[in-house]
Amino acid sequence: MVLSHRLGEWAGNAPVLEEEVALANIALDLLGQARMLLSMVGDEDELAFLREERAFRNLQLVEQPNGDFAHTIARQLYFSVYQHLLHTQLADGDGPFAALAAKAVKETAYHRDHAEQWTLRLGDGTEVSHDRMQQAANALWRYTGEMFQPVEGLDIDWTALQTAWLEQIEDVLRRATLSVPEGPRTGAWSAGAGRQGLHTEPFGRMLAEMQHLHRSHPGASW
Amino acid sequence: MATAAAHETARSQPSGAPESADDSTAEFQRAFDAAVAADERIEPRDWMPDGYRATLIRQIAQHAHSEIIGMQPEANWITRAPSLRRKAILMAKVQDEAGHGLYLYSAAETLGTSRDELLDKLHSGRQKYSSIFNYPTLTWADVGAIGWLVDGAAITNQVPLCRCSYGPYARAMVRICKEESFHQRQGYELLLALSKGTPEQHEMAQDAVNRWWWPSLMMFGPPDDESQHSAQSMAWKIKRHSNDELRQRFVDICVPQAESLGLTLPDPDLKWNEERGHYDFGPIDWSEFWEVLKGNGPCNEQRLSRRRRAHEEGAWVREAAAAYAAKHTTGGPGRQSDVDGTTGAHHAANANGENVNGETGAKRA
């Protein structure tokens, strides 16, 4: 839901018309997945619009501001490769998320392909785009460790997931003539902080915008 | 009918055409007139009068631009949509608009122009977009009012375009009208939810309708006696109905819908005329229309500068894609220039691009 919101901020601002369509498409897929997930737990709007920042459990990676197009693509690449691997595992299992994951795995394969294609184009495009893509890949690297912290209730081989993720990301970056970032992958506080409701500063601002109308009319239906 | 069209067209032929071509041109003209008279579709490879081509390029381009600029007032509310369902609907709608822009630029390209060239004209102010998008979306209810009234007016305008004499445009309109009708119903449904909601929500809906009603009526363009291009467009069967006819049809549709919404329309003169079988309505403030068209509306500056900014800030991305394509396609370089818009063969369309008439305010999806 948080990443979908971020992608929604691109509407009307994308570098080409085809990207208006693509980014909105990905945002819609993610919003659809979020609505299914939230509805499994309770009322989707109550959960989206009436929780405070500290009660949100999203990854810090997805709340990061869009930045330039390269930042948006790096964020999407890191997340989509992860989500694709995760959903593939979940879809193969028989847990409560298997059905949802089976649907989402098709969508995330597309998201992943989109992010990968743009990483290649920006990385192996012009000197300017190469530098911007490298900067973006470096800047978001620190938020990638959090994705592999075990989550209660999910029966996943997290170590294998992380190994596969690293392999695939390294492969894409290499093909895009980019170097694999160095440095810690522990997030802004510690790995797993987002899952405990410890977020980065831009997130509160995002929620303020997202929730204000809903909160201004308590009990109203829309 | 064919004679009248031929006469009109002959006047818009560029002067200085080689004398020797006269005979074959006259023959092509006869074939074109006959095809239009027989309600056949004109296709990209067919001969067509220069004036017909130029008018279509102008109209389709302005229609495409309206889709692109029209994303802004609605996108303004994506991040603030009050429920996840509404947010999904709005995102899908804005995405559709980008898609409509793509169809329409493609349709325009069949006439020998390019998307880059057209965008360049939009960004430099040489081509217009619908005047309606120069109004701000101040509350969530505006999203509903745009769906119901603005998309409603667009559909009234565009359904006849599905029978337009130019094939690619007509076919684009068939696809676009289907999606637009869907958006319009969603807008109506959004307003209905507000109208039947809390008193604050009802007031929000009424306020939005009050602000969008008159600008929506202006979308049909100036009155028939002030619409200089109408007669020619109707003779060519690009247009099928006059501005005033379509406007009247729209008012007749909206009045009962407003009643079932439980909202009023901000026109004290609005009343059923038994004799005419239509609703009478009050005078439109055309001075406001012309001001907005001249660039002096509430958001003209904002809309255009945001569009320019998105384009400029995206230049490095388009350049990267072109450079990558040049490196990785065996055809070698040479197609790059298409992407940064430097090709721009400024042929006949250029002069016509400046020839903006009142209908610019009318076309939108």
Side-chain angles (χ1 to χ4, degrees):
Chain A
M1 182 185 74
V2 173
L3 184 54
S4 167
H5 184 97
R6 284 297 189 207
L7 292 172
E9 293 171 355
W10 270 104
N13 292 311
V16 289
L17 213 37
E18 284 81 356
E19 279 309 293
E20 295 284 359
V21 178
L23 294 173
N25 207 326
I26 297 169
L28 270 170
D29 286 345
L30 292 171
L31 184 55
Q33 293 168 14
R35 294 181 65 193
M36 279 175 74
L37 272 173
L38 291 172
S39 302
M40 288 169 76
V41 195
D43 179 273
E44 60 175 33
D45 285 336
E46 209 177 296
L47 290 165
F49 295 99
L50 297 176
R51 271 186 300 165
E52 302 281 342
E53 184 183 337
R54 289 281 283 109
F56 274 80
R57 295 287 179 260
N58 59 280
L59 296 167
Q60 290 181 348
L61 174 68
V62 297
E63 74 202 27
Q64 295 313 306
N66 288 336
D68 66 6
F69 190 68
H71 278 77
T72 293
I73 291 300
R75 186 183 63 197
Q76 202 62 45
L77 178 74
Y78 291 160
F79 185 70
S80 295
V81 170
Y82 160 77
Q83 217 190 7
H84 187 248
L85 289 165
L86 179 69
H87 285 315
T88 306
Q89 272 205 42
L90 287 171
D92 288 344
D94 53 3
F97 302 110
L100 186 149
K103 181 175 182 287
V105 79
K106 291 180 205 138
E107 294 169 348
T108 47
Y110 160 76
H111 304 168
R112 191 201 136 118
D113 185 48
H114 173 264
E116 185 178 323
Q117 293 301 323
W118 270 115
T119 305
L120 295 177
R121 274 157 186 75
L122 298 181
D124 193 13
T126 63
E127 209 173 306
V128 172
S129 70
H130 176 90
D131 291 349
R132 285 188 181 229
M133 192 64 221
Q134 186 68 60
Q135 272 177 34
N138 293 348
L140 293 163
W141 189 245
R142 66 182 300 190
Y143 301 107
T144 58
E146 192 175 16
M147 299 189 283
F148 308 99
Q149 295 295 309
V151 176
E152 206 186 324
L154 281 188
D155 184 20
I156 294 288
D157 183 348
W158 296 99
T159 316
L161 194 70
Q162 173 151 241
T163 309
W165 183 88
L166 275 168
E167 264 172 30
Q168 294 188 9
I169 292 293
E170 284 172 13
D171 175 58
V172 176
L173 294 177
R174 207 170 288 127
R175 281 191 287 131
T177 72
L178 297 163
S179 50
V180 177
E182 289 166 8
R185 294 174 44 235
T186 49
W189 299 76
S190 63
R195 297 286 188 217
Q196 298 160 32
L198 294 167
H199 293 279
T200 56
E201 283 183 352
F203 184 55
R205 208 168 283 275
M206 192 205 101
L207 280 191
E209 182 175 347
M210 186 180 109
Q211 296 181 335
H212 103 268
L213 179 59
H214 186 96
R215 285 182 182 270
S216 304
H217 297 264
S221 48
W222 301 92
Chain B
M1 181 192 285
T3 321
H7 177 67
E8 289 292 323
T9 310
R11 288 195 312 193
S12 61
Q13 290 282 354
S15 55
E19 300 268 332
S20 55
D22 275 3
D23 283 352
S24 56
T25 302
E27 202 174 302
F28 283 137
Q29 180 75 56
R30 272 192 297 278
F32 172 84
D33 291 339
V36 170
D39 273 336
E40 285 167 19
R41 289 276 162 80
I42 307 299
E43 296 297 337
R45 284 157 186 260
D46 295 341
W47 183 91
M48 62 189 83
D50 290 348
Y52 179 84
R53 185 184 299 274
T55 294
L56 275 168
I57 289 177
R58 189 191 68 232
Q59 180 171 335
I60 300 173
Q62 286 167 358
H63 193 159
H65 299 333
S66 302
E67 298 283 357
I68 303 313
I69 298 284
M71 293 167 71
Q72 289 185 33
E74 295 178 290
N76 185 35
W77 281 92
I78 286 180
T79 54
R80 293 176 288 170
S83 75
L84 294 185
R85 174 172 165 264
R86 293 289 178 199
K87 188 171 180 160
I89 291 172
L90 186 56
M91 272 186 185
K93 182 181 178 189
V94 174
Q95 182 192 19
D96 281 348
E97 277 156 11
H100 296 173
L102 282 171
Y103 303 159
L104 288 163
Y105 285 121
S106 299
E109 285 183 333
T110 64
L111 291 159
T113 181
S114 72
R115 196 208 299 184
D116 290 332
E117 197 178 337
L118 297 175
L119 280 175
D120 187 46
K121 285 181 180 160
L122 169 66
H123 297 152
S124 61
R126 283 176 293 153
Q127 282 181 344
K128 304 287 183 188
Y129 54 89
S130 177
S131 60
I132 194 83
F133 300 117
N134 293 312
Y135 291 87
T137 47
L138 301 177
T139 71
W140 170 249
D142 290 34
V143 172
I146 288 182
W148 176 45
L149 293 173
V150 176
D151 293 340
I155 293 163
T156 309
N157 258 328
Q158 289 169 10
V159 165
L161 287 174
C162 297
R163 293 186 294 123
C164 157
S165 58
Y166 188 59
Y169 193 26
R171 288 188 289 274
M173 291 320 304
V174 172
R175 297 179 64 174
I176 290 173
C177 282
K178 277 183 199 156
E179 291 178 348
E180 292 296 345
S181 314
F182 188 57
H183 298 160
Q184 199 233 355
R185 278 205 300 279
Q186 287 170 332
Y188 178 90
E189 195 250 333
L190 190 162
L191 280 182
L192 188 66
L194 293 179
S195 179
K196 295 200 179 310
T198 65
E200 292 78 16
Q201 285 177 307
H202 181 90
E203 195 187 333
M204 195 193 281
Q206 183 63 60
D207 171 62
V209 168
N210 291 349
R211 283 181 289 111
W212 288 92
W213 172 248
W214 292 108
S216 301
L217 293 191
M218 294 177 198
M219 285 176 70
F220 295 92
D224 291 347
D225 49 13
E226 285 175 47
S227 177
Q228 35 171 333
H229 289 248
S230 271
Q232 179 60 82
S233 287
M234 284 172 80
W236 276 329
K237 295 191 181 172
I238 295 172
K239 268 180 95 153
R240 297 282 180 156
H241 309 279
S242 80
N243 296 350
D244 287 334
E245 271 169 38
L246 291 170
R247 189 171 7 248
Q248 180 69 61
R249 186 180 296 180
F250 178 67
V251 171
D252 291 347
I253 293 169
C254 284
V255 175
Q257 288 182 353
E259 278 166 18
S260 51
L261 277 171
L263 298 170
T264 59
L265 295 170
D267 180 359
D269 297 332
L270 193 65
K271 61 170 185 298
W272 178 251
N273 183 325
E274 193 66 55
E275 218 169 287
R276 292 202 308 129
H278 290 291
Y279 283 94
D280 289 337
F281 54 97
I284 291 173
D285 181 359
W286 291 111
S287 63
E288 177 181 315
F289 174 76
W290 295 115
E291 278 306 304
V292 175
L293 217 61
K294 271 193 280 178
N296 302 325
C299 297
N300 297 58
E301 176 58 34
Q302 176 190 332
R303 300 283 187 247
L304 208 52
S305 57
R306 172 149 170 210
R307 178 88 270 288
R308 281 197 207 109
R309 197 179 67 227
H311 191 73
E312 282 158 17
E313 286 177 357
W316 69 275
V317 176
R318 297 189 299 276
E319 282 157 17
Y324 181 87
K327 282 185 216 175
H328 294 270
T329 4
T330 42
R335 286 189 40 78
Q336 254 177 287
S337 49
D338 277 358
V339 175
D340 59 25
T342 51
T343 37
H346 290 278
H347 44 73
N350 197 4
N352 291 292
E354 289 158 2
N355 188 8
V356 170
N357 74 343
E359 272 94 311
T360 47
K363 308 304 179 222
R364 193 265 164 179

